[in-house]
Amino acid sequence: MSCGTQEQNTAMLWVTLFFEGEKPPENITLHGSHDFNSGGEIGSVSAASAAFAPFIGKQFKRVVNTLTIA
């Protein structure tokens, strides 16, 4: 997380997940925001390797340890 604002109680979020098994590993990159009050995160898939390319542009939401891409 970076680039947060106290006024809006939020921070910019970006994360790349790597999935082992392939060489090079498949990956998916998420961009969005993190809410300091709830700990929740929302945003969209901004980039992905071929296996996950259909998810590019899809919205994501993370609550606690559950990530949902729809």
Side-chain angles (χ1 to χ4, degrees), residues 14-34:
W14 62 94
V15 63
T16 299
L17 304 172
F18 292 93
F19 300 90
E20 296 180 359
E22 299 293 324
K23 294 198 188 280
E26 299 288 347
N27 62 76
I28 191 167
T29 300
L30 310 171
H31 280 94
S33 64
H34 170 85

Side-chain angles (χ1 to χ4, degrees), residues 8-69:
Q8 295 181 336
N9 204 35
T10 191
M12 185 174 166
L13 166 78
W14 62 94
V15 63
T16 299
L17 304 172
F18 292 93
F19 300 90
E20 296 180 359
E22 299 293 324
K23 294 198 188 280
E26 299 288 347
N27 62 76
I28 191 167
T29 300
L30 310 171
H31 280 94
S33 64
H34 170 85
D35 179 74
F36 291 119
N37 283 337
S38 70
E41 297 168 343
I42 59 170
S44 63
V45 177
S46 60
S49 58
F52 297 103
F55 291 103
I56 295 173
K58 302 280 185 185
Q59 300 295 305
F60 79 84
K61 181 176 183 178
R62 187 190 70 86
V63 177
V64 188
N65 290 325
T66 301
L67 173 68
T68 304
I69 300 174

